[in-house]
Amino acid sequence: METNYSDDIYGRAKVKGSEELEKYYDELKDMDTGALWTVANDIEPWEPHTISAPMFWSYEKLRPFVLEAARLVTPGEAGRRVVYLQNKNRIKEKAAVGLLYAGIQITQPGEFTPAHRHAASALRFIMEGAKGYTIVDGNKIELGVRDFVITPNSAWHEHGVEKDGQTCIWLDGLDIPMINAFEANDYAVLEEEKGGQDLVVAENYSPMSYSGAGVIPIDREWNKPYSPLFKYSWENTRNAIQNLAKVSDGTPYDGYIMRYANPLTGGHPMLTMGATMQMLKPGQKTKAHKHTGSSVFQVAQGEGYVIIDGVKYDFKEKDTFCIPSWLYHEFANTSETEELYLFSFNDFPTVEKLGFYQEKAHPEGHQQLK
Amino acid sequence: METNYSDDIYGRAKVKGSEELEKYYDELKDMDTGALWTVANDIEPWEPHTISAPMFWSYEKLRPFVLEAARLVTPGEAGRRVVYLQNKNRIKEKAAVGLLYAGIQITQPGEFTPAHRHAASALRFIMEGAKGYTIVDGNKIELGVRDFVITPNSAWHEHGVEKDGQTCIWLDGLDIPMINAFEANDYAVLEEEKGGQDLVVAENYSPMSYSGAGVIPIDREWNKPYSPLFKYSWENTRNAIQNLAKVSDGTPYDGYIMRYANPLTGGHPMLTMGATMQMLKPGQKTKAHKHTGSSVFQVAQGEGYVIIDGVKYDFKEKDTFCIPSWLYHEFANTSETEELYLFSFNDFPTVEKLGFYQEKAHPEGHQQLK
Amino acid sequence: METNYSDDIYGRAKVKGSEELEKYYDELKDMDTGALWTVANDIEPWEPHTISAPMFWSYEKLRPFVLEAARLVTPGEAGRRVVYLQNKNRIKEKAAVGLLYAGIQITQPGEFTPAHRHAASALRFIMEGAKGYTIVDGNKIELGVRDFVITPNSAWHEHGVEKDGQTCIWLDGLDIPMINAFEANDYAVLEEEKGGQDLVVAENYSPMSYSGAGVIPIDREWNKPYSPLFKYSWENTRNAIQNLAKVSDGTPYDGYIMRYANPLTGGHPMLTMGATMQMLKPGQKTKAHKHTGSSVFQVAQGEGYVIIDGVKYDFKEKDTFCIPSWLYHEFANTSETEELYLFSFNDFPTVEKLGFYQEKAHPEGHQQLK
Amino acid sequence: METNYSDDIYGRAKVKGSEELEKYYDELKDMDTGALWTVANDIEPWEPHTISAPMFWSYEKLRPFVLEAARLVTPGEAGRRVVYLQNKNRIKEKAAVGLLYAGIQITQPGEFTPAHRHAASALRFIMEGAKGYTIVDGNKIELGVRDFVITPNSAWHEHGVEKDGQTCIWLDGLDIPMINAFEANDYAVLEEEKGGQDLVVAENYSPMSYSGAGVIPIDREWNKPYSPLFKYSWENTRNAIQNLAKVSDGTPYDGYIMRYANPLTGGHPMLTMGATMQMLKPGQKTKAHKHTGSSVFQVAQGEGYVIIDGVKYDFKEKDTFCIPSWLYHEFANTSETEELYLFSFNDFPTVEKLGFYQEKAHPEGHQQLK
């Protein structure tokens, strides 16, 4: 079915203006109503209408300001010391892209955040430091660089760094703009006197319980809508991708890519957000496509570039960028010797559940630079 | 776990201003970033933050303008002649409430809309007229007053009224604001020369195939993410509720209430939106509660009132109103002899899938009027 | 992939006998073992191996013996007065066909069975009488002729006929041979002093709560693995099939056929057994096919014949017959004026869940009579 | 609800014999029917009725006969050289226990079985040898000692040992008795001329694609009812259990136990059969319980004993035994220094799907020896 992308065709609103109509529109407005044909072509575009802008945040530039945050405010005053990433077309929503929030959080040795919880879901990707930890639902878990960690909706959580550790910096991802669009977020804090959550299981209980591929402890009690595996270690993920790369040609648009999954269901680790790690071999370039759904990327290891909507962004380790819904994009690893690893988180679980997913390959395989 | 609803407590952002900080904030802004503690308390409210306003649209006032639309513009110019309902706090989104669109559509005898489809899902509740029809996926279906009809995501559809029919008016509900928030809507029209969809099955195929309670034709081919039952007749729905009322006391907050369901799954008829019909017996008053999720109500039959967030709205048949997320509400049937029927559609399927649902009973059972 | 249906080909066991082998086989036997190649061709047949025989039970012949049962023994002595139907190739299992039990039960006015429950699932199809009732999980339900009723696994149940009713006769179907093959059945009775279950809801609560097509009471509490709808009335089922027949050509092998379904899931009403009602129009003949899965049929209304594995069985209302797994079968309505209705129950839910289903159309459309 | 386990109580069949009744029973028999009350107490036992016997097969005794099979017959004659394990109460079904088949298969260097497939599902646990391989659905996979491998229903498969390998012996498990009870098994062989399946992916494609815990390649094409992971390596499984044992106290009846799972769903690897690996720490003894469902155990590593229904069986590595449905059982590791690992496969996926599962702890914790 071919589509003529003009609005001056049969089936589109093309009512001409008139004085009588203007008066009618005013009267409608007074009654908190309007005429659909005056807005239909806007709210029902031919193809998905991208609101969010592509954005790129250099870690080299950003890092000093993240360190500065730790100097300027205390955890007690700020709750959490985070520099959030602001999409210039999603300012009201405080979104990095689409309906996703992203921020860079810093915690110094001996510091910890107050224990809290919210209906919003959170995830983290560890960028720097040593001996960081998170406590989720009473389970204390050690954090290493490039580990992926979840803090699901309404789970109590707090983070910190051991006194003998090193300053930790990580990427936070949350669905705050999404849940606020649905007018449904909330917040609670544990009283200061409690000094944090009680630990209810052994340290690293969750990752040590689900450390094998395709083997699951017989535990009939889990009935929460999120993964019982809270931390996905870098070593496990990288090894799995390297194994995959030995027996597969990967995918045309994303190289060798794996999604983090709930081992009990195979689904996404949380209800609203997913995350993936992808690898491009030295010198590898992917083809361009576009799809609905929004992603925030961070370079886990290596260097290269991404072309989004005809604009090229060179990147190095720890740089962050976003790819909005329905913009063409393609990746390249510019090293001839090292693998490139890209972490990203996204709203794909939501987009899929709501039936909003669609995809389109670039007709020429690659974009022209603008 | 008790919560102190002040922001001047442990765990909330309470950083005091300073010149140094102002300068820091400006520098962050220049890099498309910000300090989380300056916005955290806003985007992470203690309880769900209601954006949408409660709204009430009197059909007595609205009807003349709907009829006027049919006089002022043709289907060929306007596509569809619809007066849409505008929530005063959701103007940018063109939403009636939350992320839901609602409108009142008119079609005169012999008229029909161009055949079209969109990633957004649509539903209708028939208010007036005779011999209206819809054609969904090549299936022509007759529409009667108070029937509930679906036009699921990406299904081709068109509507009309037979030449010997009477002007039809119906309530349209769509998830357009939601799908646009996710930057994912699209649109296609069937060329005018085709004169509409080809009919691929007998008239009323869908409702006649699924007309029994708990009996399903053995048809292994359906793999679409929506109900194969496109029309839920008023007679079937009303009888089912009246039967329910003979053996049950109903629910405390909604009287005798049934949801429209996909007979193949028991789930909602479409991915993003649900709909219900509820009945209050003569003189019945429900208790007050609030929950996340947004609804548009229309009075199907009878009279009464609703109290939303402490404000009372008296209603008659065909009046429309909306209940935003997390506002207390309660219903009353003011007739001593007739049953009251309220139709409503909502975003509950989405809210549930995303894990955003929560509910709270009013501590005193009923609200104080403001 | 063509298959040579001889055992004298590559890939099949074709070891010749020898004295040395005989000795070896004896030694294996002494250790409770055996050589696979001596049994492989038997336990791994080319096509599904039908054990059960086609069977036909004339109600005209059977009815006097059912009435006699009521004269010979009391409910107190017998528990339930039932003449069970015995497949001549499934005698050990007490199966009517496959792993399914069937029986004809009789209850006289004023009588009732002891309340009991078992891990096995049960269903009934009402053949005769008036004012029969069943009580399932504390819900008393009136039974009419041709109603289909379920008594799911481990649900307390008892049946009776009101004092002013008429002798009731019904077909019982159970998965007893199946659950016994898995060594998993059990049994419990309610003490006589209790005089039966306490009624916990209004009479007919279940069918009156789910009496509409595609509308479901909002009841979030049901978490049982079976349908909340315990009775499917004849009127509802027949009307639904007649509606279906107005807009559809039905299926080639079964005419106009509907399955009884759990309205909350669209699945089968119980875990192990399904049931269907099918209609053939006056003079209609279906084509022949075969499939895995076993069925017990009863003629609900009308007359005709079935050809099973090349043998023709003429039938009248209330006659019972079975179709074993993997035997060709086809149906005919021999009336030129009346519809034919066939009720059947089956093990299809089990066969589907275990991945054991396969189907084959008869290559010539119809069977040759043997 | 207390149960009186006598049949001479209200609600059980307790009809006394009489000449009149004997005559009646004979007449019923002539019509292929019977009186339920003559068999009801047998087919509806108070508690699950165990048919299968506990069995123990010493590998020390069995191994010479397995080697002998390789001498006595060729793969071309026998198809597969297997000594099957025969439960003495399930002889007709050729079952090791319940409706499960088990056998010990041998393959010598340079040998391979004909490629074949069947509706029955198969699994293997590797006992001895080097450079064995399986080819499933065109995917060749290397087999190591204590690896667990699946050959799902209707998947083409063949096995062999490389010419430079060592004689391989493994345990086969199949659901043949189950599928035959449902009259649904079938068989096909690939013509000899083809010389086996074509390889469609790189060697070890399946295990190398799913080698990480909780990470899944983005592959939207898998729609088969079984796991895409065909081999679960011993190293991965043992490490996962050892990790689990560091943070958990295990389970009271099975020690530290994990089930093999489909990484795409978290469910069992195949539709009908599951498998587990469990570890007991040095000196550990579990408590006794019983449950429905049948299991075949093989000692993967270590030594100890099992008590089944009051009888103690001492075991060493590679010994095989079975635990029938509803018999009490408990395990012990008799080594004071080494861990004990028990592999087992079972029909739990079937028992769970059909709603037949129930469990009972031994009232005194441990059994008395008979």
Side-chain angles (χ1 to χ4, degrees):
Chain A
M1 193 83 42
E2 288 261 333
T3 306
N4 178 348
Y5 279 180
S6 151
D7 282 341
D8 190 17
I9 67 164
Y10 177 72
R12 291 297 269 183
K14 41 188 195 293
V15 174
K16 299 249 161 43
S18 76
E19 252 182 63
E20 187 178 28
L21 278 171
E22 289 304 322
K23 181 167 170 292
Y24 177 70
Y25 297 154
D26 284 346
E27 289 168 329
L28 288 185
K29 199 171 173 188
D30 287 347
M31 292 188 302
D32 295 312
T33 62
L36 176 59
W37 59 85
T38 64
V39 300
N41 297 348
D42 284 339
I43 64 177
E44 297 180 321
W46 291 111
E47 286 209 359
H49 174 62
T50 306
I51 302 165
S52 306
M55 303 287 295
F56 182 85
W57 294 274
S58 156
Y59 190 57
E60 200 170 37
K61 287 191 192 161
L62 212 54
R63 190 173 186 275
F65 290 89
V66 174
L67 295 174
E68 186 74 355
R71 196 187 61 81
L72 288 168
V73 295
T74 65
E77 291 169 327
R80 296 143 297 173
R81 272 132 3 144
V82 179
V83 172
Y84 68 87
L85 308 181
Q86 177 62 63
N87 194 289
K88 58 187 174 196
N89 293 343
R90 288 283 196 179
I91 289 173
K92 201 188 73 178
E93 295 93 343
K94 306 295 170 223
V97 66
L99 297 174
L100 297 175
Y101 162 99
I104 312 286
Q105 182 162 179
I106 184 167
T107 314
Q108 299 179 129
E111 290 178 353
F112 56 90
T113 61
H116 61 290
R117 69 172 180 183
H118 33 64
S121 289
L123 56 84
R124 318 185 192 284
F125 185 69
I126 311 304
M127 300 167 70
E128 293 191 22
K131 298 212 174 175
Y133 64 85
T134 187
I135 305 175
V136 179
D137 277 346
N139 188 176
K140 184 174 182 180
I141 298 169
E142 199 184 345
L143 304 177
V145 171
R146 300 189 192 89
D147 287 351
F148 167 64
V149 194
I150 62 170
T151 311
N153 54 316
S154 298
W156 284 101
H157 57 286
E158 59 196 279
H159 321 293
V161 177
E162 306 288 358
K163 282 178 184 161
D164 61 344
Q166 293 170 11
T167 294
C168 285
I169 299 180
W170 55 67
L171 173 71
D172 284 336
L174 289 106
D175 60 4
I176 286 178
M178 190 191 303
I179 196 169
N180 281 337
F182 285 97
E183 311 169 46
N185 203 10
D186 65 6
Y187 200 83
V189 289
L190 206 63
E191 295 88 327
E192 187 166 13
E193 306 78 58
K194 302 221 167 155
Q197 299 168 70
D198 295 328
L199 301 188
V200 298
V201 285
E203 198 158 332
N204 293 315
Y205 175 82
S206 163
M208 293 288 275
S209 294
Y210 294 89
S211 70
V215 288
I216 294 180
I218 290 185
D219 173 359
R220 294 159 189 263
E221 302 303 317
W222 191 264
N223 53 12
K224 296 182 178 172
Y226 48 79
S227 175
L229 177 50
F230 295 157
K231 184 182 83 166
Y232 300 76
S233 82
W234 166 236
E235 189 190 7
N236 172 71
T237 304
R238 186 198 55 213
N239 290 351
I241 293 180
Q242 290 179 344
N243 283 338
L244 177 65
K246 286 174 192 157
V247 294
S248 150
D249 294 330
T251 67
Y253 306 115
D254 292 300
Y256 301 88
I257 180 165
M258 296 189 110
R259 61 179 175 81
Y260 298 95
N262 178 341
L264 292 186
T265 66
H268 297 284
M270 296 188 293
L271 287 168
T272 56
M273 292 187 293
T276 64
M277 180 67 77
Q278 70 198 81
M279 186 267 275
L280 271 65
K281 290 189 171 174
Q284 185 175 357
K285 289 181 176 59
T286 68
K287 292 193 169 175
H289 74 153
K290 65 182 177 182
H291 51 74
T292 48
S294 302
S295 300
V296 174
F297 281 78
Q298 188 169 92
V299 185
Q301 199 169 73
E303 58 185 41
Y305 63 79
V306 59
I307 303 174
I308 308 172
D309 196 27
V311 178
K312 186 180 168 196
Y313 303 86
D314 291 299
F315 54 62
K316 291 184 298 192
E317 193 173 311
K318 298 193 181 62
D319 287 345
T320 306
F321 57 92
C322 70
I323 301 182
S325 177
W326 210 243
L327 293 187
Y328 282 115
H329 54 276
E330 57 194 288
F331 305 97
N333 180 355
T334 50
S335 167
E336 292 304 316
T337 54
E338 303 301 314
E339 294 169 337
L340 166 67
Y341 288 89
L342 297 173
F343 167 82
S344 72
F345 70 90
N346 54 60
D347 61 2
F348 300 166
T350 299
V351 165
E352 290 161 5
K353 275 179 196 134
L354 303 187
F356 293 168
Y357 186 77
Q358 55 182 304
E359 186 183 3
K360 191 171 180 176
H362 192 286
E364 292 154 31
H366 294 281
Q367 303 163 78
Q368 297 282 348
L369 289 188
K370 283 184 176 171
Chain B
M1 190 85 40
E2 287 262 333
T3 306
N4 178 350
Y5 280 179
S6 152
D7 283 340
D8 190 18
I9 68 163
Y10 177 72
R12 292 297 269 184
K14 43 186 193 294
V15 174
K16 298 247 159 44
S18 77
E19 253 180 62
E20 187 177 28
L21 277 171
E22 288 305 320
K23 183 166 169 293
Y24 177 70
Y25 298 154
D26 285 345
E27 289 167 330
L28 287 184
K29 198 171 175 187
D30 286 346
M31 292 188 302
D32 294 313
T33 61
L36 175 59
W37 60 85
T38 64
V39 300
N41 296 346
D42 283 338
I43 65 177
E44 298 180 320
W46 290 111
E47 286 210 356
H49 173 63
T50 306
I51 302 165
S52 306
M55 303 287 294
F56 183 86
W57 295 274
S58 156
Y59 190 56
E60 198 168 38
K61 286 191 193 163
L62 212 55
R63 192 172 185 274
F65 289 89
V66 174
L67 295 173
E68 186 73 353
R71 197 187 61 80
L72 288 168
V73 294
T74 65
E77 293 169 324
R80 296 143 298 174
R81 279 154 330 167
V82 178
V83 172
Y84 68 86
L85 308 182
Q86 177 61 66
N87 193 289
K88 59 188 173 194
N89 292 344
R90 288 281 197 180
I91 288 172
K92 200 188 72 175
E93 296 93 343
K94 307 297 172 221
V97 65
L99 297 173
L100 297 174
Y101 162 99
I104 312 286
Q105 182 163 179
I106 183 168
T107 312
Q108 298 177 132
E111 291 178 352
F112 56 91
T113 61
H116 60 289
R117 69 172 179 183
H118 34 63
S121 290
L123 56 83
R124 322 191 185 281
F125 185 69
I126 312 304
M127 299 166 70
E128 292 192 23
K131 298 209 174 177
Y133 65 85
T134 188
I135 306 177
V136 179
D137 277 347
N139 189 173
K140 184 173 180 180
I141 298 169
E142 198 185 347
L143 304 177
V145 170
R146 296 187 194 90
D147 288 352
F148 168 63
V149 193
I150 62 170
T151 309
N153 54 315
S154 298
W156 285 101
H157 57 285
E158 60 195 276
H159 321 293
V161 176
E162 306 288 359
K163 282 180 185 160
D164 61 344
Q166 292 169 12
T167 294
C168 285
I169 298 178
W170 56 67
L171 174 70
D172 284 336
L174 289 106
D175 59 6
I176 286 178
M178 191 191 304
I179 195 168
N180 281 336
F182 285 96
E183 310 169 46
N185 203 9
D186 65 6
Y187 200 83
V189 289
L190 205 63
E191 296 88 324
E192 187 167 13
E193 305 78 59
K194 302 224 166 152
Q197 301 168 72
D198 295 329
L199 301 189
V200 298
V201 286
E203 198 158 332
N204 293 315
Y205 175 82
S206 164
M208 292 288 275
S209 294
Y210 294 90
S211 71
V215 288
I216 293 180
I218 289 184
D219 172 1
R220 293 160 190 262
E221 302 303 317
W222 190 263
N223 54 11
K224 297 183 177 171
Y226 48 80
S227 175
L229 177 52
F230 295 158
K231 185 182 85 168
Y232 300 76
S233 81
W234 166 236
E235 189 189 8
N236 172 72
T237 304
R238 185 199 53 213
N239 289 352
I241 294 180
Q242 290 179 341
N243 283 337
L244 177 65
K246 286 175 192 155
V247 293
S248 151
D249 294 330
T251 67
Y253 306 114
D254 292 301
Y256 301 88
I257 179 165
M258 296 189 113
R259 61 179 175 83
Y260 297 96
N262 179 340
L264 291 186
T265 66
H268 296 285
M270 297 189 293
L271 287 168
T272 56
M273 293 186 293
T276 62
M277 180 69 76
Q278 71 198 80
M279 186 266 276
L280 271 65
K281 290 190 171 174
Q284 186 176 356
K285 287 180 178 58
T286 69
K287 290 193 170 176
H289 74 153
K290 65 182 176 180
H291 51 75
T292 48
S294 302
S295 301
V296 174
F297 281 79
Q298 188 169 90
V299 185
Q301 200 169 72
E303 59 184 41
Y305 64 79
V306 58
I307 302 173
I308 309 172
D309 195 28
V311 178
K312 185 181 169 197
Y313 304 87
D314 291 298
F315 54 62
K316 292 184 298 194
E317 193 174 311
K318 298 191 181 63
D319 287 344
T320 307
F321 57 93
C322 70
I323 302 182
S325 176
W326 210 244
L327 293 187
Y328 282 115
H329 54 277
E330 58 194 287
F331 304 99
N333 180 353
T334 49
S335 166
E336 292 303 317
T337 54
E338 303 301 314
E339 293 168 338
L340 166 68
Y341 288 90
L342 297 173
F343 167 82
S344 72
F345 70 91
N346 55 60
D347 60 3
F348 300 165
T350 298
V351 165
E352 290 162 4
K353 278 178 193 132
L354 303 186
F356 293 168
Y357 186 77
Q358 54 182 303
E359 184 184 4
K360 191 170 179 177
H362 192 286
E364 292 154 32
H366 294 279
Q367 303 162 78
Q368 296 282 347
L369 289 188
K370 281 182 178 174
Chain C
M1 190 83 41
E2 286 261 332
T3 305
N4 178 348
Y5 280 179
S6 151
D7 282 340
D8 190 18
I9 67 163
Y10 177 73
R12 292 296 269 185
K14 42 188 193 295
V15 175
K16 299 248 157 46
S18 77
E19 253 180 60
E20 186 178 28
L21 278 171
E22 288 305 320
K23 182 167 169 293
Y24 178 69
Y25 297 155
D26 284 346
E27 289 167 331
L28 288 185
K29 200 171 174 188
D30 286 348
M31 290 188 304
D32 295 313
T33 62
L36 175 59
W37 59 86
T38 63
V39 300
N41 297 346
D42 284 339
I43 66 177
E44 298 180 321
W46 291 111
E47 285 209 357
H49 173 62
T50 304
I51 301 165
S52 306
M55 302 287 294
F56 183 85
W57 294 275
S58 155
Y59 191 56
E60 200 169 37
K61 287 190 193 162
L62 213 55
R63 191 174 186 275
F65 290 88
V66 174
L67 295 174
E68 185 74 355
R71 195 186 63 79
L72 289 167
V73 294
T74 64
E77 292 168 326
R80 296 142 297 173
R81 279 152 333 166
V82 179
V83 172
Y84 69 86
L85 308 182
Q86 176 63 63
N87 193 289
K88 57 188 172 195
N89 294 343
R90 288 282 197 181
I91 287 173
K92 201 190 72 178
E93 295 93 343
K94 306 297 169 222
V97 66
L99 297 173
L100 297 174
Y101 162 99
I104 312 285
Q105 182 162 179
I106 184 167
T107 314
Q108 298 179 131
E111 291 178 353
F112 55 91
T113 62
H116 60 289
R117 70 172 179 182
H118 33 63
S121 289
L123 55 83
R124 321 188 187 283
F125 184 70
I126 311 305
M127 299 167 70
E128 294 192 22
K131 299 210 174 175
Y133 63 86
T134 188
I135 306 176
V136 179
D137 277 346
N139 188 177
K140 184 174 181 181
I141 297 169
E142 197 185 347
L143 304 177
V145 171
R146 299 187 192 88
D147 287 352
F148 168 63
V149 193
I150 62 170
T151 310
N153 55 315
S154 299
W156 285 102
H157 56 286
E158 59 194 278
H159 321 292
V161 177
E162 305 288 357
K163 283 178 184 158
D164 61 345
Q166 294 168 11
T167 294
C168 284
I169 298 178
W170 55 68
L171 174 70
D172 283 337
L174 288 106
D175 59 5
I176 285 178
M178 190 192 303
I179 196 168
N180 280 337
F182 285 96
E183 312 170 44
N185 202 10
D186 66 5
Y187 200 84
V189 289
L190 205 64
E191 296 88 326
E192 186 167 13
E193 307 75 59
K194 300 222 166 153
Q197 299 168 71
D198 294 329
L199 301 188
V200 298
V201 286
E203 197 158 333
N204 293 315
Y205 175 82
S206 165
M208 293 287 276
S209 293
Y210 294 90
S211 70
V215 288
I216 293 180
I218 291 184
D219 173 1
R220 293 158 190 262
E221 301 302 316
W222 190 263
N223 54 11
K224 297 182 177 171
Y226 48 78
S227 174
L229 177 52
F230 295 157
K231 185 182 85 167
Y232 300 76
S233 82
W234 165 237
E235 189 189 8
N236 172 71
T237 304
R238 187 197 54 214
N239 290 350
I241 293 180
Q242 290 178 342
N243 283 338
L244 177 66
K246 285 175 193 155
V247 294
S248 150
D249 294 330
T251 67
Y253 306 115
D254 292 301
Y256 301 88
I257 179 164
M258 298 189 111
R259 62 179 174 83
Y260 298 95
N262 178 339
L264 291 186
T265 67
H268 296 286
M270 297 189 293
L271 286 168
T272 56
M273 293 187 293
T276 63
M277 180 69 76
Q278 70 198 79
M279 185 266 276
L280 270 66
K281 289 190 172 175
Q284 187 175 357
K285 289 181 177 57
T286 69
K287 290 192 169 176
H289 75 152
K290 65 182 177 181
H291 51 75
T292 48
S294 302
S295 300
V296 174
F297 281 79
Q298 188 169 90
V299 185
Q301 200 169 73
E303 59 185 40
Y305 63 80
V306 60
I307 302 174
I308 308 173
D309 196 27
V311 178
K312 186 179 167 196
Y313 303 86
D314 291 298
F315 54 62
K316 292 185 297 195
E317 193 173 310
K318 297 193 182 62
D319 287 344
T320 306
F321 57 93
C322 70
I323 302 182
S325 177
W326 210 243
L327 293 187
Y328 282 115
H329 54 275
E330 57 193 287
F331 304 99
N333 180 355
T334 49
S335 167
E336 292 303 317
T337 53
E338 303 301 315
E339 294 168 336
L340 165 67
Y341 287 90
L342 297 174
F343 168 81
S344 72
F345 71 90
N346 54 62
D347 61 3
F348 300 166
T350 297
V351 165
E352 291 162 3
K353 275 179 196 133
L354 303 186
F356 293 168
Y357 186 78
Q358 53 181 303
E359 185 184 4
K360 192 171 180 175
H362 193 286
E364 293 154 32
H366 294 280
Q367 304 163 77
Q368 297 282 348
L369 290 188
K370 283 182 175 173
Chain D
M1 191 85 41
E2 287 261 333
T3 306
N4 178 349
Y5 281 179
S6 151
D7 283 339
D8 190 18
I9 67 162
Y10 178 72
R12 292 296 268 184
K14 43 187 193 293
V15 174
K16 299 246 161 45
S18 76
E19 253 181 63
E20 186 178 28
L21 278 171
E22 287 306 320
K23 181 167 169 295
Y24 177 70
Y25 297 155
D26 284 345
E27 289 167 331
L28 287 185
K29 200 172 174 186
D30 286 347
M31 292 188 303
D32 294 313
T33 62
L36 176 60
W37 59 86
T38 64
V39 300
N41 296 347
D42 284 338
I43 65 177
E44 298 180 320
W46 290 111
E47 285 209 357
H49 173 62
T50 306
I51 302 166
S52 307
M55 303 288 295
F56 182 85
W57 294 275
S58 156
Y59 191 57
E60 200 169 38
K61 288 192 192 161
L62 212 54
R63 192 172 184 275
F65 289 88
V66 174
L67 295 173
E68 185 75 355
R71 196 186 62 79
L72 288 168
V73 294
T74 65
E77 292 170 325
R80 295 143 297 174
R81 275 139 353 151
V82 179
V83 171
Y84 68 85
L85 309 181
Q86 177 63 63
N87 193 290
K88 58 187 175 196
N89 293 343
R90 288 281 197 180
I91 288 173
K92 200 190 73 179
E93 297 92 343
K94 307 295 170 222
V97 66
L99 297 173
L100 297 174
Y101 161 99
I104 312 287
Q105 182 161 181
I106 183 167
T107 314
Q108 298 178 131
E111 291 178 351
F112 54 92
T113 60
H116 60 288
R117 69 172 180 183
H118 33 62
S121 290
L123 56 84
R124 322 191 185 280
F125 184 69
I126 312 304
M127 300 167 69
E128 291 192 23
K131 297 212 175 177
Y133 63 85
T134 189
I135 306 176
V136 179
D137 278 346
N139 188 175
K140 185 174 180 180
I141 298 169
E142 198 185 345
L143 304 177
V145 171
R146 298 189 192 90
D147 287 352
F148 168 64
V149 193
I150 61 169
T151 309
N153 54 316
S154 297
W156 285 101
H157 57 286
E158 59 196 279
H159 321 293
V161 177
E162 305 289 357
K163 282 177 185 160
D164 62 343
Q166 294 169 12
T167 294
C168 285
I169 299 178
W170 55 67
L171 173 70
D172 285 336
L174 288 106
D175 59 5
I176 285 178
M178 191 192 301
I179 195 168
N180 280 336
F182 285 97
E183 312 171 46
N185 202 9
D186 64 7
Y187 200 82
V189 288
L190 206 62
E191 295 88 327
E192 187 167 12
E193 306 77 59
K194 303 222 166 154
Q197 300 168 70
D198 295 328
L199 301 188
V200 298
V201 287
E203 198 157 331
N204 292 315
Y205 176 82
S206 163
M208 292 288 276
S209 294
Y210 294 89
S211 69
V215 288
I216 294 179
I218 290 185
D219 173 1
R220 293 160 191 261
E221 301 303 316
W222 191 264
N223 54 11
K224 297 182 177 172
Y226 47 80
S227 174
L229 178 51
F230 295 157
K231 185 182 84 168
Y232 299 76
S233 81
W234 166 237
E235 190 190 7
N236 172 73
T237 304
R238 185 198 54 213
N239 290 351
I241 293 180
Q242 290 178 343
N243 283 338
L244 177 66
K246 286 174 193 155
V247 295
S248 150
D249 294 331
T251 66
Y253 306 114
D254 293 300
Y256 301 88
I257 179 164
M258 298 190 109
R259 62 178 174 83
Y260 298 96
N262 178 340
L264 292 186
T265 66
H268 297 285
M270 297 189 292
L271 287 168
T272 56
M273 292 186 293
T276 62
M277 180 69 77
Q278 70 199 80
M279 187 266 275
L280 271 65
K281 291 189 171 174
Q284 187 176 356
K285 287 180 177 61
T286 68
K287 291 194 169 175
H289 75 153
K290 64 181 178 182
H291 51 74
T292 49
S294 301
S295 300
V296 174
F297 281 78
Q298 188 168 91
V299 184
Q301 201 169 73
E303 58 183 43
Y305 63 79
V306 59
I307 302 173
I308 308 172
D309 196 27
V311 178
K312 186 180 169 197
Y313 304 87
D314 291 298
F315 55 62
K316 291 184 298 195
E317 192 174 312
K318 298 193 180 62
D319 287 343
T320 306
F321 58 91
C322 70
I323 302 181
S325 176
W326 211 242
L327 293 187
Y328 282 115
H329 54 276
E330 57 194 290
F331 305 98
N333 179 356
T334 49
S335 167
E336 292 305 316
T337 55
E338 304 301 314
E339 293 168 339
L340 165 67
Y341 288 88
L342 298 172
F343 167 82
S344 71
F345 70 90
N346 55 59
D347 61 2
F348 301 166
T350 298
V351 165
E352 290 162 4
K353 277 178 194 133
L354 302 186
F356 293 168
Y357 186 78
Q358 53 182 304
E359 185 183 3
K360 191 170 179 177
H362 192 287
E364 292 154 32
H366 294 280
Q367 303 162 78
Q368 297 281 347
L369 290 187
K370 282 182 176 173

